[in-house]
């Protein structure tokens, strides 16, 4: 007998069987609140217990041990430990989340980082020339994209995008199973939201901390933004290879079209790139890109986005091929815009829209003309490069081609390369002479002349005797240009050239008559524009307006009120002279049907460079041919390839326009001067007579890789008198003997 607490007595009942005695406490033996046992019925306690035990053999010790075995017992144990492990796993995961989450900044400070600014560059008619910036394209609203693009991306990257909460457990499980079965990483379990979180906030390293943070950020994105907003952010920022971030940049990079206009097959190619942008790029491996696109199309069909008929149509399209770099001459313009932008508005901090002066139809025609000319004749004449710039009377650049092929070379030979213009510089010499009283009908003697240690010769090494200035310019006579420089003074020629628009530094020496100072094609061409527009400066410019994406104007050019740089009478006389260059001079190949045109040829020493700059009342255009390494061409002059290319471009540029004459060329009678000279001191006559090297130094020596003086040869030191014939001025009017006439034998 044992004593219970509080005086209660518990009398255990013992029963015996073959398995041994067992201590039992039946329900009837439980202590009541009063400490008494309930009254029993039936036989004596011992016998009753044994009977009960005999009737319930399952209660025996051996039977109870057997009930814990078998399948159901194993299942119960397995479920139990799974629950235990699950609880501990959840605790562990929660701890990791709390730990790594605590290492992140407060969620209240989280914000979407600004997308790198994009600069959209537009032609004069609103067409897109190019996008510049870190992304390579502007951001588009989801509704502005081709509907095939989001469908393709969702089908191949995140089928349950619109139903999950930022993390897709089913997708993750499927990816894990697929990877285990294949033995390698073939699928990812990240959702589009997770991918966006990684791209926006995290580094690409694969660590547990980064993955936990990615999940937390995905939850935050899903809570803060709508699904459409998340999808739009993803499509505008994801990398598509070839420096293209976002669907707009990728679409223009691979298909040369906006993402607004992408078709089904192209959308499948773009979506396929997300798996491996470099390896699956259509620029690198078109076949691999096409095969991946077909996988995407199959996924789209499974999701019900497209039909079998649409797949058949898309798969019948040929694989998209793209060049290894941006192609098209308009990218020279885009580069020029980006070079000028910081000087106008400072650092680019937001999306910008740049309105330019470029006419894309003229741009394409200019590129086509140069390419065709080089293809047809460049090889046999050893001319490998060309450039063209065309501007209107205000200085607005309408077309610019900086080289043969932008994809091969991005160096802009129109605005950055400085070369000697040769005889294309002579109009400035003649204009300066007209300003001191000379006229197109003034007479000079085409004969050998010495200036210091330099004697210029004509291209054909012939002398024509007395000629008018108009004839001398038309036939590009070097001796006459040299004489005019001496009459005017080299420094005055330089001043006039600067006044008309040449910004480059020039050497004020005698050889400037033949264009020995280097200039760019853009500044040379723009300096001809005052002859076309009646004497006003035409500052070359390509940017009309700079505005933000919301329309705020940051800059607008002010070239609508240019200063006058030439007297209208001088302009009229120059135009009448330069018309003759095309009608009966060195530029005959540039003559235009119906349109009155004027211009000047230019060729540098050893045929290194050839130029033609000319104009109508509508456009001024300059063309250059040569080689980047300065090698000589095979007798290519300014009246050859450049004049022909100029003609072809200008014919196309004036198609459909009504012809109009040049300024001051109609109803004007020729004027004869009276032999007037420059003001005293402008031309030191004594130094001109003695050939003082200090007053008029020799032309600069040619530098390897650059052009040199046109048609200049060293004077043989024979000791004989030079010039042997008279060099001076005779006119049909009353002749007046001057000091210059006496000194030069006139």
């Amino acid at each position: 007998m044992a004593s219970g607490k509080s005086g209660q007595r518990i009398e255990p009942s013992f029963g015996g069987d073959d398995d041994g005695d067992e201590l039992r406490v039946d329900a009837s033996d439980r202590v009541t609140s009063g400490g008494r046992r309930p009254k029993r019925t039936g036989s004596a306690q011992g016998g009753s217990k044994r009977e009960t035990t005999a009737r319930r053999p399952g209660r025996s010790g051996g039977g109870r041990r057997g009930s814990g075995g078998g399948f159901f017992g194993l299942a119960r144990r397995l479920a139990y430990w799974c629950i235990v492990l699950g609880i501990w796993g959840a605790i562990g995961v929660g701890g990791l989340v709390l730990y790594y989450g605590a290492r992140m900044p407060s969620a209240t400070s989280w914000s979407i980082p600004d997308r790198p600014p994009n600069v959209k560059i537009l032609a004069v008619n609103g067409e897109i020339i190019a996008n510049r910036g870190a992304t390579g394209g502007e951001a588009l609203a989801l509704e502005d994209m081709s509907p095939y693009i989001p469908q393709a991306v969702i089908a191949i990257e995140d089928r349950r995008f619109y139903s999950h909460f930022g993390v897709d457990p089913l997708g993750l499980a499927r990816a894990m199973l697929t990877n285990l079965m294949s033995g390698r990483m073939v699928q990812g379990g990240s959702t589009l939201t997770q991918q966006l979180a990684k791209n926006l906030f995290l580094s690409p390293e694969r660590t547990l901390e980064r993955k936990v943070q990615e999940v937390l950020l995905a939850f935050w994105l899903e809570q803060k933004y709508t699904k459409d907003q998340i999808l739009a952010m993803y499509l505008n920022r994801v990398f598509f290879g070839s420096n293209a971030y976002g669907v707009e940049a990728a679409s223009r990079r691979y298909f040369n079209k906006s993402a607004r206009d992408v078709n089904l097959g192209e959308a499948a190619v773009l979506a396929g790139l997300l798996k491996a942008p470099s390896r699956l790029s259509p620029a690198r491996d078109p076949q691999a890109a096409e095969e991946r696109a077909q996988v995407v199309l199959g996924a789209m069909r499974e999701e019900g986005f497209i039909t079998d008929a649409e797949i058949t149509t898309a798969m019948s399209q040929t694989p998209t091929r793209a060049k290894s770099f941006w192609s098209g001459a308009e990218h020279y313009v885009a580069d020029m815009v980006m070079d000028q932008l910081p000087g106008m508005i400072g650092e680019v901090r937001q999306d910008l829209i740049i309105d330019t002066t470029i006419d894309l139809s003229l741009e394409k025609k200019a590129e086509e003309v140069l390419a065709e000319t080089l293809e047809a004749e460049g090889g046999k004449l050893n001319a490998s490069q060309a450039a063209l710039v065309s501007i209107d009377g205000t200085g607005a650049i309408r077309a610019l081609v900086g080289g043969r092929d932008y994809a091969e070379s991005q160096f802009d030979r129109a605005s950055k390369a400085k070369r000697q213009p040769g005889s294309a510089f002579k109009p400035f010499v003649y204009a300066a002479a007209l300003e001191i009283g000379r006229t197109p009908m003034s007479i000079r003697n085409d004969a050998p002349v010495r200036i210091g240690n330099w004697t210029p010769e004509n291209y054909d090494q012939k002398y024509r005797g007395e000629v008018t200035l108009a004839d001398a310019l038309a036939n590009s006579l070097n001796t006459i240009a040299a004489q005019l420089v001496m009459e005017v003074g080299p420094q005055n020629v330089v001043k006039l050239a600067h006044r008309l628009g040449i910004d480059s530094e020039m050497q004020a020496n005698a050889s400037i008559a033949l264009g020995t100072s280097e200039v760019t094609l853009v500044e040379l061409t723009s300096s001809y524009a005052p002859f076309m527009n009646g004497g006003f400066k035409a500052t070359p410019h390509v940017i009309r307006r700079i505005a933000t994406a919301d329309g705020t104007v940051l800059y607008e050019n002010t070239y609508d009120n240019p200063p006058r740089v030439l007297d209208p009478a001088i302009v009229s006389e120059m135009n009448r002279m330069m018309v003759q260059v095309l009608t009966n001079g060195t530029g005959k190949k540039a003559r235009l049907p119906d349109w009155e045109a004027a211009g000047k040829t230019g060729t540098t020493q050893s045929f290194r460079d050839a130029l033609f700059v000319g104009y109508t009342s509508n456009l001024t255009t300059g063309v250059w041919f040569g080689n980047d390494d300065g090698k000589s061409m095979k007798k290519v002059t300014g009246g050859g390839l450049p004049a022909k290319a100029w003609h072809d471009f200008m014919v196309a540029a004036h198609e459909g326009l009504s012809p109009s004459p040049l300024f001051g060329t109609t109803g004007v009678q020729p004027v004869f001067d009276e032999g007037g000279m420059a003001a005293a001191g402008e031309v030191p006559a004594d130094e001109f007579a003695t050939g003082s090297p200090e007053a008029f130094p020799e032309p600069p020596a040619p530098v390897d890789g650059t052009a040199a003086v046109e048609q200049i040869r060293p004077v043989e030191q024979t000791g004989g008198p030079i010039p042997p014939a008279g060099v001076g001025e005779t006119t049909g009017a009353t002749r007046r003997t001057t000091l210059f006439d006496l000194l030069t034998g006139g």
Side-chain angles (χ1 to χ4, degrees), residues 391-393 528-534 575 615-620 663:
I391 69 174
D392 66 14
Y528 271 60
F531 301 131
M532 181 250 293
N533 66 23
N575 285 344
Y615 52 94
T616 64
S617 59
N618 182 50
L619 289 174
T620 300
F663 178 87

Side-chain angles (χ1 to χ4, degrees), residues 455-655:
T455 293
E457 290 186 352
N458 294 327
Y459 169 71
D460 56 6
Q461 302 179 38
K462 296 179 181 179
Y463 301 99
R464 295 160 179 79
E466 292 187 349
V467 295
T468 64
L469 296 190
D471 288 338
L473 181 60
N475 293 286
S476 198
L477 300 182
N478 293 336
T479 61
I480 305 301
Q483 293 175 51
L484 292 178
V485 165
M486 295 304 98
E487 295 180 33
V488 176
Q491 69 278 7
N492 291 326
V493 174
V494 170
K495 289 179 181 178
L496 181 138
H498 282 318
R499 194 168 79 229
L500 266 60
I502 289 182
D503 295 325
S504 296
E505 182 180 354
M506 292 179 284
Q507 298 298 319
N509 54 35
S511 66
I512 198 172
L514 308 184
T516 56
S517 292
E518 296 178 339
V519 298
T520 68
L521 184 62
V522 168
E523 60 184 332
L524 179 64
T525 303
S526 65
S527 297
Y528 271 60
F531 301 131
M532 181 250 293
N533 66 23
F536 296 95
K537 187 172 183 179
T539 303
H541 59 279
V542 71
I543 296 177
R544 292 193 302 118
R545 184 185 300 107
I546 303 173
T548 62
D550 61 7
T552 303
V553 176
L554 303 180
Y555 166 87
E556 196 160 9
N557 72 44
T558 56
Y559 299 118
D560 53 352
N561 188 27
R564 177 173 288 282
V565 291
L566 276 180
D567 187 274
I570 303 298
V571 175
S572 174
E573 292 175 331
M574 286 300 302
N575 285 344
R576 285 189 289 124
M577 283 198 289
M578 284 200 280
V579 164
Q580 294 185 44
V581 174
L582 276 68
T583 57
N584 57 4
T586 57
K588 292 179 181 178
K589 292 182 179 179
R591 283 182 293 188
L592 299 177
D594 303 324
W595 282 82
E596 188 175 44
K600 187 66 186 74
T601 57
T603 312
T604 60
Q605 188 181 36
S606 302
F607 306 100
R608 288 190 175 97
D609 301 274
L611 304 96
F612 185 85
V613 184
Y615 52 94
T616 64
S617 59
N618 182 50
L619 289 174
T620 300
T621 301
V623 180
W624 165 85
F625 277 80
N627 297 298
D628 288 337
D629 57 6
K631 289 183 178 179
S632 299
M633 296 177 286
K634 295 180 180 179
K635 296 186 176 181
V636 176
T637 66
L641 293 184
K644 290 166 62 178
W646 185 93
H647 166 273
D648 294 345
F649 169 75
M650 293 292 272
V651 167
H654 290 77
E655 186 175 352

Side-chain angles (χ1 to χ4, degrees), residues 275-286:
K275 180 179 181 181
S278 298
R279 180 170 57 85
L280 298 175
S281 167
R284 177 177 180 178
D285 191 342

Side-chain angles (χ1 to χ4, degrees), residues 82-105:
C82 284
I83 293 172
V84 171
L85 292 175
I87 293 172
W88 281 109
I91 294 173
V93 170
L96 286 174
V97 170
L98 290 175
Y99 173 72
Y100 289 125
R103 293 165 60 92
M104 300 174 67

Side-chain angles (χ1 to χ4, degrees), residues 97 100 192 239 243 253 303 376 383 435 471 482 628 646 710 730:
V97 170
Y100 289 125
L192 293 181
F239 181 58
N243 292 321
R253 168 67 185 87
E303 293 302 305
E435 285 191 333
D471 288 338
D628 288 337
W646 185 93
E710 179 187 15
T730 59

Side-chain angles (χ1 to χ4, degrees), residues 56-108:
R56 298 170 62 187
R59 298 283 303 224
S60 65
R64 236 186 27 222
R65 285 194 298 269
S67 67
F71 173 76
F72 292 106
L74 179 63
R76 283 194 298 270
R77 288 190 181 91
L78 183 61
Y80 169 79
W81 285 111
C82 284
I83 293 172
V84 171
L85 292 175
I87 293 172
W88 281 109
I91 294 173
V93 170
L96 286 174
V97 170
L98 290 175
Y99 173 72
Y100 289 125
R103 293 165 60 92
M104 300 174 67
S106 172
T108 57

